[in-house]
Amino acid sequence: MNAGSDNRGGPVAGRTIRSQLTRMVLIPSLGFLLLWAILTAASTLGALNLISSVRDGRAGMVAFGAIAADLRYERAQTQVYLGDLATETRADLDRGRERADATFARVHARTGALLDADRGELPRRVADFFTAWDELPDLRAAVDGGSLTREEALREYTALLDGILLVNDAIVVQLYGDSSRADGVTALELLRAHDRFSQAGALLSGALAAGEMNHDETAHFTFLSASYRDMLGAAQPNMTDRVRALDTQMRESSPWSAAEDLSLKVVSRSPVSDSTELGEAAFNSRIPTDATAWKQAVAGTDPLLRGLAQSQFQAALDVAWGSAMRVMVINAAGSLIALGVGAIGIVLALRSSRRLTGRLHRLHDETLEVADTRLPAIVAKAQRGARVDVAAELPPLMHGYDEIGRVADAFNTAQRTAVGSAVKQAEIREGANRVFLGIAYRNQALVQRQLQLLDEIESAEDDPETLRKLFQLDHLTTRSRRYADNLIILTGAHSTRRWREPMPVVDVLRAALSETEDFERVRLKSAPRAWVRGFAAADVVHLLAELVENATQFSPAGSRVDVNSSSIHNGLSIEVEDRGLGMTEAACDAANRTLARPPEFDVMALPDEPRLGLFVVARLAARHGVRVRLSPSPYGGTQACAVLPWALLADTPADALVPRQERSAPPRPLSEREPLP
C-alpha cells in the first residue's frame, strides 16, 4: 500500500510501509555485510602481508647473509694486505673482491625486490645499503692506493656491514607477533656478536701480517673480544632450545677454545716492552701468537657463529610463519561464522517485518485517510467560522491493545489535539481580526474627520507660524491614518481609501513621501509620464510610503534618501535608496523571504522586534503582483526596489480607465520622463 502519492495521483517510489520496514532491516544488514567485508578484507590482507613479510624476510636474510659473509672475508683480506702488502695477500684480496661482486650480482635481483615492499623502514634501509655499495669501488681504490690505514679500512668496511645489520633489523620489525619478534631480536644479537667476532679476527689478522699491534689496535681488539662474549651471554637465555644446544656445542668445540685462548693471550700480554733502552718504557706491540694458528681458529669458529645466528633467525621465521597461518585460519573461520550468523539474523528480521506489514497497512491507510481528508475539511470548516464538534467529526482509530494499538491511540490523541488547537486558533484569529478591524475602521474614521477639520482650520488661518504648526499636525494625522490602514491590511481587509480615477505616477510618489515623517530628507529625482490605475493607487502609495519611511528611520539624521523611478521591460521600477548602515546578508535574505511570501499576521509575535512595515509591504505587494526586493546600496545603505506590473499602469488617463483585458494593444514603453521641480 502506498504511503504517499505525487501530484498526479501516482505512487511515490520507495514510500510503502513494506519498503520502509525492509529498509529498516536491510540498511543495518547491508552495513553489517559491508563491515564484514571490510574487516575480512583487512584481516586477510594483514595475514597475506604477514605471509609475504615472512617470505621476503627469509629471502632477504639468505641474500644479505651471503653478501655479509663475502664482505667479512674481503674485510679480513684487506687487513692482511694492508699489513704486509705482499703479492700473495694481494691475490687473496682480489679473489675476495671478485667473490663479493659475484655474490652481490647473483642476489641483487632478490634484494632489489625488497625496495618495492611497502613495509616501513625496510625499503629505505635496503636503498641505503645499495647506495653504500655503490661507494665500495672508491673504498677499494683507496685501499689499493695506500691512502687508508688498517684502522680506517676496518671502520669503512664495518660501516658497510652495519647497513646489512640495519636491513636485518627492519626484517625483524616486519615479523608481527610478540614471540617472533623476541626470537628475531635474539637473532639480531647473535648476528651482531658474529660481526664483532669477525671484526676482531680481521683486526688481529692485519696486525699479525704487519708484525705488531699498537696500543689503539690492542684496545679496539679488547673491546671487540669482550663485546661479542657479552652479546652471546646476554642472548643465551632467549635462545630456542635447539640454538642453545648449538651454542653449547660451539663453546665446547676446539676452534672456539683455540680462538678464546689466543685472544686472551693477546689481551692479557704485558703492556710494557721487554726491549726498553735507557730506562724508557715502551708499549709492548709484540703479538704472542702466530698468523697460522689464529687463521685456523677463526676459520673454525666463524661458521659456528654464523650457523648459530642463522638457526635462531630460522626459528623466528618459523614462528612468524606459524602465526601467519593461524591468523589466516582464524580469520577465515571467524568470517564464515560471522557471515552465517548475520545471514540468519537478516532472514529472521525480514520475516518479522513481513508479519507486521499487514497490521501496519491498515493503520497506515486509516491514518492517511484522516490526515488527507478529514483533518483538512475540519480545519477549513473551522476557518470559515462554522461550529465544529471534534468527537463527531473525528472517530478514533481502533487497532487492539499491543504496541501497534498504542501507536493508534497516540495518533488519536495527536489528531484530536491538533484539530482542537486548529479550531481554537481559527476562532481566536477570527475574533481578533474582527476586533482589530473594528478598532482600525473607527480609528480611521476619526483620523479622517481630524484631517477634514484641519483642512478647514488651515483655510481660515493667515498667521504663518500657526499654519506651520497646523501643517505639522496635518502631517502627523496623515501618518496616523496610514498606521490605521496598516492594521486593516494585516487583518486581510481593504483600506477605505479608494480612487476611481487614475493617478499620475509623480503624484503617487509625492503622496507616498508626504505620508513619511522626515519627508524633507527625501529627494524625488525622476518619474516617468504614466498613470497608476485608481483601484491600486492607494495601496501603491501606502507600499511606497512604508519603504520610504523605513529608509529614513534606518539612516543617519540629515542624510538624503533618493527615490528613482524608470520603466523596464516588465513594468515600472521604483528604487528607494538610503545611506544608512545597511543590513547584514542574513537579515537581507530573511527580509526578502518575507516580502516574497506574505506571512500570517500571528507570526509577528515570534521576533523580538517585529517590523510591521515589512509585513504590510508584503501583503500589499502580494495583493497587486508587485515585486519588492532589498539589496545593499552602493553608498553603504540599503536599496529597496519595487517593480509595478503593467496591469497597474497606463500611458494615459483614458487607458487607465479601460480594464486591461479589454485593451486591443499592449501599452507602449514608459520611455518619457516628467521633469521634476
Side-chain angles (χ1 to χ4, degrees):
M1 189 66 188
N2 297 330
S5 59
D6 59 14
N7 54 8
R8 295 186 301 274
V12 177
R15 297 285 183 86
T16 63
I17 293 179
R18 182 185 297 275
S19 65
Q20 294 285 347
L21 290 175
T22 302
R23 282 198 295 270
M24 291 172 60
V25 176
L26 288 183
I27 290 176
S29 302
L30 293 176
F32 161 75
L33 293 176
L34 179 60
L35 181 62
W36 172 84
I38 293 174
L39 293 178
T40 301
S43 56
T44 302
L45 183 61
L48 293 176
N49 286 336
L50 183 55
I51 293 173
S52 178
S53 298
V54 175
R55 289 176 178 172
D56 292 343
R58 180 179 287 111
M61 285 300 299
V62 172
F64 281 100
I67 297 174
D70 290 337
L71 279 177
R72 292 189 186 102
Y73 178 79
E74 182 179 343
R75 178 175 62 184
Q77 294 304 317
T78 300
Q79 292 294 305
V80 174
Y81 170 72
L82 291 177
D84 64 0
L85 301 176
T87 304
E88 181 181 354
T89 58
R90 176 66 192 192
D92 292 338
L93 176 59
D94 291 338
R95 285 194 295 272
R97 290 177 176 177
E98 293 174 358
R99 188 169 67 181
D101 291 339
T103 301
F104 182 81
R106 186 175 64 254
V107 302
H108 182 269
R110 282 181 290 172
T111 56
L114 298 177
L115 289 171
D116 300 329
D118 186 15
R119 300 189 185 99
E121 290 291 314
L122 181 58
R124 185 180 65 82
R125 293 184 178 181
V126 173
D128 290 343
F129 173 74
F130 286 165
T131 302
W133 181 272
D134 293 336
E135 298 174 358
L136 183 58
D138 296 335
L139 175 59
R140 290 171 176 174
V143 171
D144 296 340
S147 60
L148 289 179
T149 63
R150 293 201 312 275
E151 188 68 20
E152 291 172 343
L154 180 64
R155 184 170 58 252
E156 293 296 331
Y157 274 98
T158 301
L160 185 58
L161 285 164
D162 286 343
I164 296 179
L165 291 176
L166 291 175
V167 173
N168 293 335
D169 286 343
I171 292 175
V172 169
V173 168
Q174 75 180 19
L175 299 178
Y176 303 149
D178 295 337
S179 58
S180 63
R181 185 167 297 176
D183 291 339
V185 170
T186 303
L188 290 175
E189 289 297 314
L190 294 178
L191 287 174
R192 290 188 174 90
H194 178 214
D195 186 69
R196 294 291 174 85
F197 176 82
S198 177
Q199 288 184 56
L203 176 60
L204 185 54
S205 296
L208 289 170
E212 61 178 1
M213 192 175 196
N214 59 31
H215 177 270
D216 292 339
E217 291 175 336
T218 303
H220 193 186
F221 181 81
T222 302
F223 166 75
L224 292 174
S225 300
S227 179
Y228 75 74
R229 292 191 190 97
D230 291 342
M231 288 181 177
L232 288 175
Q236 191 173 24
N238 297 321
M239 295 178 183
T240 62
D241 295 338
R242 180 174 178 275
V243 176
R244 191 177 293 110
L246 292 176
D247 178 66
T248 302
Q249 293 177 8
M250 181 191 70
R251 293 177 184 274
E252 295 175 353
S253 64
S254 56
W256 173 264
S257 299
E260 289 292 278
D261 292 341
L262 293 175
S263 63
L264 183 61
K265 289 180 181 181
V266 174
V267 172
S268 61
R269 75 183 188 274
S270 175
V272 180
S273 175
D274 296 336
S275 60
T276 57
E277 297 179 359
L278 301 177
E280 294 181 0
F283 180 75
N284 182 14
S285 61
R286 185 177 61 83
I287 305 174
T289 183
D290 59 80
T292 302
W294 177 248
K295 183 177 181 180
Q296 291 176 352
V298 171
T301 304
D302 189 83
L304 297 177
L305 274 173
R306 184 170 63 251
L308 194 68
Q310 290 176 350
S311 298
Q312 180 65 34
F313 212 100
Q314 183 60 43
L317 291 173
D318 292 341
V319 173
W321 181 264
S323 298
M325 291 295 100
R326 284 194 300 274
V327 169
M328 180 66 75
V329 172
I330 293 173
N331 174 60
S335 298
L336 292 177
I337 292 173
L339 181 61
V341 172
I344 294 174
I346 292 172
V347 171
L348 293 177
L350 287 174
R351 293 182 61 185
S352 298
S353 67
R354 290 192 185 97
R355 285 195 297 267
L356 291 174
T357 301
R359 298 182 62 196
L360 290 176
H361 274 178
R362 186 167 64 89
L363 174 60
H364 167 264
D365 294 340
E366 293 181 4
T367 304
L368 277 184
E369 195 273 334
V370 171
D372 293 341
T373 304
R374 294 186 182 181
L375 285 180
I378 294 173
V379 173
K381 184 177 180 181
Q383 290 178 344
R384 291 194 303 268
R387 185 175 181 80
V388 176
D389 186 355
V390 177
E393 298 281 352
L394 195 65
L397 304 175
M398 302 299 296
H399 287 271
Y401 301 98
D402 58 0
E403 286 79 0
I404 296 179
R406 289 197 291 271
V407 171
D409 293 339
F411 276 128
N412 292 331
T413 302
Q415 290 167 355
R416 284 194 299 269
T417 302
V419 172
S421 299
V423 171
K424 189 66 176 178
Q425 184 179 12
E427 293 174 351
I428 293 174
R429 183 183 300 166
E430 181 65 23
N433 283 347
R434 286 196 298 268
V435 171
F436 290 154
L437 191 59
I439 294 173
Y441 278 139
R442 292 180 181 181
N443 188 32
Q444 194 178 51
L446 291 175
V447 170
Q448 190 65 32
R449 290 172 61 187
Q450 289 177 1
L451 288 174
Q452 293 175 358
L453 182 59
L454 285 172
D455 288 341
E456 295 176 3
I457 297 174
E458 289 170 359
S459 300
E461 183 61 46
D462 295 330
D463 183 41
E465 181 63 22
T466 304
L467 279 175
R468 185 182 64 81
K469 293 180 179 180
L470 288 173
F471 287 151
Q472 290 180 352
L473 183 60
D474 185 280
H475 181 65
L476 292 175
T477 307
T478 301
R479 290 176 58 206
S480 299
R481 181 181 61 186
R482 180 164 57 84
Y483 294 155
D485 283 345
N486 285 348
L487 191 57
I488 295 174
I489 293 169
L490 290 174
T491 57
H494 291 272
S495 174
T496 56
R497 290 193 300 164
R498 298 284 182 88
W499 276 275
R500 293 179 56 85
E501 301 297 328
M503 188 174 184
V505 170
V506 65
D507 291 343
V508 169
L509 295 175
R510 286 170 175 164
L513 268 57
S514 67
E515 294 190 3
T516 60
E517 181 177 3
D518 294 335
F519 62 91
E520 297 92 348
R521 294 167 46 197
V522 183
R523 184 173 62 178
L524 182 59
K525 300 178 68 174
S526 63
R529 190 181 300 277
W531 280 259
V532 177
R533 298 179 183 276
F535 70 89
D539 288 344
V540 172
V541 169
H542 198 143
L543 184 149
L544 296 177
E546 292 292 340
L547 294 178
V548 172
E549 182 161 299
N550 183 75
T552 58
Q553 287 181 349
F554 292 95
S555 61
S559 63
R560 293 200 313 271
V561 175
D562 294 333
V563 178
N564 291 289
S565 60
S566 60
S567 65
I568 56 177
H569 69 282
N570 56 350
L572 177 67
S573 172
I574 302 175
E575 298 175 353
V576 180
E577 187 174 39
D578 63 58
R579 288 168 172 77
L581 297 178
M583 302 174 64
T584 63
E585 184 177 353
C588 194
D589 292 341
N592 286 326
R593 286 194 297 270
T594 301
L595 292 171
R597 294 184 178 181
E600 292 294 332
F601 178 66
D602 54 0
V603 303
M604 289 189 298
L606 297 178
D608 295 333
E609 296 182 359
R611 298 181 179 179
L612 298 180
L614 192 66
F615 294 94
V616 171
V617 170
R619 285 288 184 91
L620 293 175
R623 180 181 297 174
H624 296 289
V626 179
R627 290 187 294 112
V628 183
R629 183 170 183 81
L630 304 181
S631 62
S633 169
Y635 299 102
T638 303
Q639 183 185 72
C641 179
V643 178
L644 306 183
W646 287 113
L648 305 182
L649 303 172
D651 292 337
T652 64
D655 292 337
L657 293 174
V658 180
R660 183 165 181 79
Q661 60 271 20
E662 297 179 7
R663 297 175 61 183
S664 59
R668 60 183 178 84
L670 303 176
S671 57
E672 299 181 358
R673 296 179 181 271
E674 178 182 354
L676 295 175

